[in-house]
Structures are given as structure tokens and as C-alpha cells.
Amino acid sequence: PRLELAWAMRAHQHAQVYFNLISSVEPKFLSLTKVDDRIYAEFRRTFRELRVDVLDPEELKSEAAK
């Protein structure tokens, strides 16, 4: 149990650092991996009509969305 607690505390610290880093940069300038552009292009090819600026959880759960 102590090892698991220590791991969880360390993971939480890392998560805070990464969150602070990605929160301090304007999203259009943020690049997390070398293939971000490819991932986004594939996402847009698959979900052409999905508005990512306004996501409605109920709309995502609809039969049409499934």
C-alpha cells in the first residue's frame, strides 16, 4: 500500500507539471508529438462535421452519433 501511495503521489505531481505546461501555451502553438498534424488530419477526415469548440455530451450519445 505504501508503494502504491508513493506512485500515486508521484503521478499526481507529474500530471500537475504537465497540466501547467500545456495550460501556459496557447493551443494553436502547442505541439505534443511529432505526428500531431497527421493525427489531426485523420481526425478531421473521420469527423468532418464535428464541432470541437462546443461539445455536447448528449449529442455525442445520440443514435446518429453512434
Side-chain angles (χ1 to χ4, degrees):
R2 288 172 48 189
L3 180 61
E4 290 173 357
L5 178 60
W7 180 89
M9 289 172 56
R10 189 70 172 164
H12 182 261
Q13 290 172 345
H14 280 280
Q16 283 183 314
V17 168
Y18 288 119
F19 180 77
N20 290 338
L21 284 171
I22 64 173
S23 297
S24 67
V25 176
E26 192 168 339
K28 66 181 175 181
F29 300 118
L30 184 64
S31 178
L32 300 176
T33 70
K34 295 177 182 177
V35 293
D36 285 354
D37 292 334
R38 275 185 28 207
I39 292 170
Y40 185 72
E42 184 62 32
F43 173 82
R44 275 290 153 216
R45 203 171 7 264
T46 304
F47 302 102
R48 283 184 168 85
E49 303 299 320
L50 182 63
R51 289 186 55 207
V52 295
D53 58 336
V54 181
L55 290 178
D56 178 14
E58 295 307 315
E59 185 180 321
L60 294 174
K61 295 176 187 176
S62 71
E63 284 301 317
K66 291 179 183 177

